[in-house]
Amino acid sequence: MILAKCQAKVVSSPLMQRKLLKGFLLQRMVASLPMKSNFRVRIEVIRKLECYEPSTIEPVGGHVCRVAAKGCDYYRHSAQDVAHDVFYHYPVIVDPDGSPWVEANRYLLSRLNAIVPAKHRTLESIASDLAHFRQWLLEEEIDFLTISSRPRARPTYRYCAYLHDEIRFGKLKAQTAKRRMSSLQNFYRWIEGDGVKFELPLWLENDEALKFKDARGFQRSKSVKSTDLTRSFRVVKSTNDYSEYIDDGGKLRPLPRDEQMALVAALNAIGNTEMILAFFFALATGARLQTVFTLRRQNFLGEPYQGAVSHRIKVGGGTLVSTKYAKQMVLLVPLFLYRRVQVYLNSERCQRRISSSKHVYPESGEQYLFLTRAGQPYYMADNDPFTFLYRSPPRGNAVTQFIRQQLKPELYRQGHDFEFRFHDLRATFGMNLLEDRLVGHPLDDISAQNQPNFFRLLMYIRQRMGHTNLATTERYLNYQKNYKLAAHLQYGYEDHLESLLKAVEGCCELD
């Protein structure tokens, strides 16, 4: 069975949605396919999904459409129940026999009803969780709408037990299992809201107080719904303040100064201009990969103010440059780096890559700053009008491939063996920024004797790194105090042990 790849016509009423899901499919190659062990539930992605309501009433300026199978005509009206008329990279859950899973796909459609509809990556994540559940249902021959009188025999509890078995056998992480169970519960909640009534409860639910720190660092709490299913997957977070990693949207490892120098030497040896500039940009601004590789030419066309040492670039919501959660922020680009990027823009190498690009934007300045040799972006912004041309838009895979296939081997050739990811440059920027501000002013002295200066330091780092939560910024300060202290003590202890071992070696032979 093949799904329509380029465009699909979608309607918003429940009755028409049921018809639409069957209309997604092209003519079947066979009437039905028998269940086979190698056939699995899969997700097909429609690159461009058009949402509208069919009607026999002709709108002003409307055009007639024809349903090939029925041989009848209709007109397209703007859909009233969705925020946008077009949605890119829409996932569809398909059963092994090629037919769509109606209820799950209607649920995914409902996620487009919000004022700000779910992003395609969010929808694909939900679709992946539900496809996993569907595969389990088919293998166990379970009807997900049939609720047993025995609680542990109900689909939700049986699936929960299955996920726990997967965790126990090391096939699944607890955090992933908890996410899948949460997706399943939201699906069942939608089913109940859509009119399906279950005589018995699918889980036990109660209110819990969730404690957190707000953007200003104050302790807050809010009431959230909790179920016995998701509670069974509680993930205990590590509280190791002496770890070599910082939790900042992932486990990041700030690179020591010697590793930074080794990284620069390896990049210079490889000679990839785009990677050299991109890595330096991340080191100098703390920008994430998605921000660095969605920078545009227009961001480097302006002239800095007279006497300025850095140039301000606005990124995030309202710009063409992507940030996490579309957060608006300003990057301070050192003038020496800004000038080098301007030189690169006028280079033959850059012009050659731009001419190879198949994407022609209304303004030449909207073209990405960094392009591959084939003229493709390393990372495509969500608001890019050409995303629908890709089954999977570029998301930095080429950068990861460069690190794995070229950078790490070069580091190893030069005698360095340390783990590294592009995102670690962000943590490295944060620690460099902190240490530069602490020159001659130990952190303990600032925090203990001069609270205003300590708070200003905290706010400065938070602003430069674009942290929403102040607790994230505090982790950098804790890292600077705790990890380096622990490393210093560990080295001292190891030297002590080595001296003891040498004393033993003097008394007896050790093979």
Side-chain angles (χ1 to χ4, degrees), residues 203-231:
W203 54 74
L204 299 179
E205 188 172 89
N206 64 300
D207 293 330
E208 272 192 354
L210 177 64
K211 295 182 179 180
F212 63 97
K213 285 186 178 181
D214 63 14
R216 297 182 179 180
F218 295 107
Q219 191 76 28
R220 303 290 186 189
S221 66
K222 64 178 181 180
S223 179
V224 296
K225 294 292 183 183
S226 175
T227 71
D228 56 338
L229 297 177
T230 53
R231 281 198 302 271

Side-chain angles (χ1 to χ4, degrees), residues 14-63:
L15 178 60
M16 293 304 297
Q17 284 173 355
R18 293 179 185 273
K19 296 180 179 179
L20 122 87
L21 290 169
K22 295 180 180 179
F24 273 152
L25 303 174
L26 299 177
Q27 292 183 347
R28 292 192 174 192
M29 297 177 65
V30 292
S32 62
L33 295 174
M35 178 70 71
K36 294 182 180 180
S37 59
N38 60 335
F39 280 13
R40 301 187 63 82
V41 177
R42 64 186 187 275
I43 296 174
E44 294 287 349
V45 175
I46 299 173
R47 296 182 184 179
K48 184 177 181 181
L49 183 72
E50 295 184 25
C51 306
Y52 65 88
E53 292 182 356
S55 174
T56 56
I57 302 175
E58 182 178 4
V60 177
H63 63 278

Side-chain angles (χ1 to χ4, degrees), residues 5-165:
K5 294 288 186 180
C6 298
Q7 294 184 354
K9 313 329 189 200
V10 180
V11 295
S12 56
S13 65
L15 178 60
M16 293 304 297
Q17 284 173 355
R18 293 179 185 273
K19 296 180 179 179
L20 122 87
L21 290 169
K22 295 180 180 179
F24 273 152
L25 303 174
L26 299 177
Q27 292 183 347
R28 292 192 174 192
M29 297 177 65
V30 292
S32 62
L33 295 174
M35 178 70 71
K36 294 182 180 180
S37 59
N38 60 335
F39 280 13
R40 301 187 63 82
V41 177
R42 64 186 187 275
I43 296 174
E44 294 287 349
V45 175
I46 299 173
R47 296 182 184 179
K48 184 177 181 181
L49 183 72
E50 295 184 25
C51 306
Y52 65 88
E53 292 182 356
S55 174
T56 56
I57 302 175
E58 182 178 4
V60 177
H63 63 278
V64 67
C65 302
R66 175 170 291 273
V67 180
K70 300 293 184 180
C72 57
D73 297 337
Y74 66 94
Y75 297 95
R76 295 171 53 166
H77 288 249
S78 297
Q80 302 300 315
D81 294 338
V82 292
H84 303 289
D85 294 335
V86 176
F87 189 88
Y88 296 110
H89 297 96
Y90 178 82
V92 177
I93 303 175
V94 183
D95 280 340
D97 66 354
S99 62
W101 183 14
V102 176
E103 292 82 3
N105 286 306
R106 288 189 55 231
Y107 167 63
L108 293 176
L109 281 175
S110 73
R111 298 297 299 262
L112 304 184
N113 295 350
I115 296 176
V116 180
K119 293 185 178 181
H120 73 270
R121 278 179 285 176
T122 301
L123 274 187
E124 285 195 8
S125 176
I126 297 172
S128 175
D129 293 338
L130 294 182
H132 183 271
F133 174 61
R134 182 64 166 178
Q135 184 68 40
W136 174 79
L137 289 173
L138 296 176
E139 291 175 355
E140 299 295 326
E141 299 182 351
I142 296 173
D143 181 2
F144 72 102
L145 295 178
T146 300
I147 307 302
S148 171
S149 59
R150 293 188 302 113
R152 300 302 169 186
R154 295 166 194 169
T156 49
Y157 283 97
R158 291 184 62 180
Y159 184 63
C160 183
Y162 165 74
L163 292 178
H164 278 287
D165 288 340

